[in-house]
Amino acid sequence: MSSPSTSAAEVVDVIGVGAGFSGLYLAHRLTTAGWTFAGFEAGPSVGGTWFWNTYPGARCDVESIYYSYSFDDALQQEWTWSERFAPQAEILSYINHVADRFDLRKYFTLNTRVVGATWNAADRLWEVRLDNGETRRSRYLISGAGGLSTPKDFDVPGLANFTGLQVSTSRWNIALDDLAGKRVAVIGTGSSGVQAIPLIAEVADELTVFQRTPNYVMPARNSELPPEQIQCIKDDYPAIREECRHSLGGIPERPVADKAFDVSDEERQRRYEEAYKRSGFNGVGAEFVDLLTDAEANRTASEFIHNKIREIVKDPATAELLVPKYHPMGAKRSCFGTDYYETFNRPNVSLVSLRDEPIETMTANAIVTSKGTYGVDAVVLAIGFDAFTGPLYGLNITGASGKKLQDAWHNGVRTYLGLMTADFPNFFMVGGPQSPALASNVVMTIEQAVDWIADLIEHARDSGATLVEATAEGQNDWVDITEETVAGTLYATTDSWYRGSNVEGKPNTFLGYVGGVGKYRRMCTEIAKRGYPGVEIDGEAQSRNLGPIHKEIS
Ligand code: N01
């Protein structure tokens, strides 16, 4: 393991937080442009999310040919994905390969967490505190800490009483076989739970799934990637990547122009069947343009999936509990699973609906709900993350006016493009809240963010400036734009981690920009072309409003 060549006395150009997809590309992009860079990673290895989330069945539900770096053609030509949705271990080897191929490990200190950062206005630099007690100084501080890297508090009542095996999907540290022959409880049925449950069911003596909100789970339809298909993709990679960059979600889109009620009931049903076979983010939820904006249109797709669940799950009472009736399809993150609903047909699997019988407490060896006591030997928590703000607040950063970020955002997140925030000069977030990271192929979003940040600080450097900050006006504009954009969608109707509702006391702010990856990219590019309205560079800012720019861009 190499350490970056920074000492307490030295001022490095950029300190980067994290060595996942964001941190590694930051290191590459910035050092190539001549900046000095020191990265700090809390974990013992590179990989970020893909280092920590090693639970059984973990894999990405964005196809690997898209969920990978596009910045270097030789890299994408030499790497060959084995499956449509590569498993966690393969994604982690890819990240390690990138770290080695571009010689990036030397820029990172591992096992070292950033625990505080304070803006030093006199010297225009960040003083960054590490958990080893040391302080490092940098001109710029850039978070690549990820959006889904801080596990949510284990807020299950009575958990401390439980003396059996306890493990969480986001910090998985056992072998699947450790659950063999045991009575296992899985709490949580989001993407992580949905992937882990079928594999745990295969080894557990008994599996009881504790479900609070049933989710829409579509078949992942994972498969090996045939060599001919891989070759086609490689031959066409530049065009495919360009299409992704200008798409809605960072993956190639199926051109769809009609609305759900533009076609007959029979035709709609036929289209949903086809989409269900295809599956993925271009599946049922994307079959008509209005499925995320019109509740009635959405109901047709939701009911299609409800009926699939009733067809697959043999016990009608269990099927009804699994039917997601509390939110429209896609308004909360849809899941893609393999044999998820089929798993509930196994004789060793049962389902408890926490809507009907909430957990009251736990004992040393049981979960006690309002209706009964379930003896268990092991508990698997798949209860999610304190998304976006959790990792940023963990940095304990203090801005120019002496306020911590968590205080500045006390009433809700406020950012400029999801990349910067007023009163925190020279601080950037890659894949931050109010960026498209929430609902996109995040690797594509990360590359765009890093490139934009790099261009901005190069622009500042070229003019001899050393201070770059979002203006309050620019930030207000972006908050308005993100809120207006989401207001017209069904995301606005549903409680989920997308809006912080999964964490007690978290203000209700939608944590993403859902106007599309392509539109966002064009907006960011336009902002750069126009000399960065909404950004103060060495005290100078344009007073131009962002709203009209956003409207002008298709
Ligand atoms: O977390 P989640 P996740 N008692 O928040 C329940 C990405 N990801 O780790 O819905 C009982 O989605 C909670 O119930 P409710 C992806 O973006 C991607 O699964 O709040 N239950 C819910 O069922 C994803 O969206 C991939 O009512 C409790 C579950 O736990 C994001 O990460 C794979 C509870 C949490 O679901 C997060 O997914 C994995 C409590 N106290 C993750 N607290 C892929 O690419 C929470 N729950 C495939």
Side-chain angles (χ1 to χ4, degrees), residues 55 59-61 148 152 155-156 187-193 195 212-213 332-333 354-355 382-385 497 502:
Y55 61 84
R59 57 180 75 240
C60 189
D61 56 13
L148 294 165
K152 190 169 91 93
D155 53 1
V156 180
I187 303 177
T189 54
S191 302
S192 305
Q195 289 186 322
R212 195 160 67 182
T213 307
K332 154 173 195 155
R333 175 70 148 76
L354 298 178
R355 300 246 166 184
I383 60 174
F385 299 87
W497 68 256
N502 65 331

Side-chain angles (χ1 to χ4, degrees), residues 360-388:
E360 291 188 335
T361 192
M362 288 173 71
T363 65
N365 55 8
I367 295 180
V368 182
T369 71
S370 62
K371 287 196 183 158
T373 298
Y374 299 85
V376 289
D377 308 310
V379 170
V380 174
L381 296 166
I383 60 174
F385 299 87
D386 182 355
F388 290 99

Side-chain angles (χ1 to χ4, degrees), residues 388-389 392 409 413 415 417-419 429 431-435 478 511-512:
F388 290 99
T389 52
L392 289 168
W409 289 356
V413 168
T415 74
L417 298 173
L419 294 164
M429 299 161 284
Q434 297 176 339
S435 81
W478 187 246
L511 294 168

Side-chain angles (χ1 to χ4, degrees), residues 216-232:
Y216 291 85
V217 184
M218 267 73 72
R221 308 218 186 277
N222 189 29
S223 58
E224 284 183 7
L225 278 174
E228 322 72 80
Q229 193 185 342
I230 292 172
Q231 198 48 53
C232 264

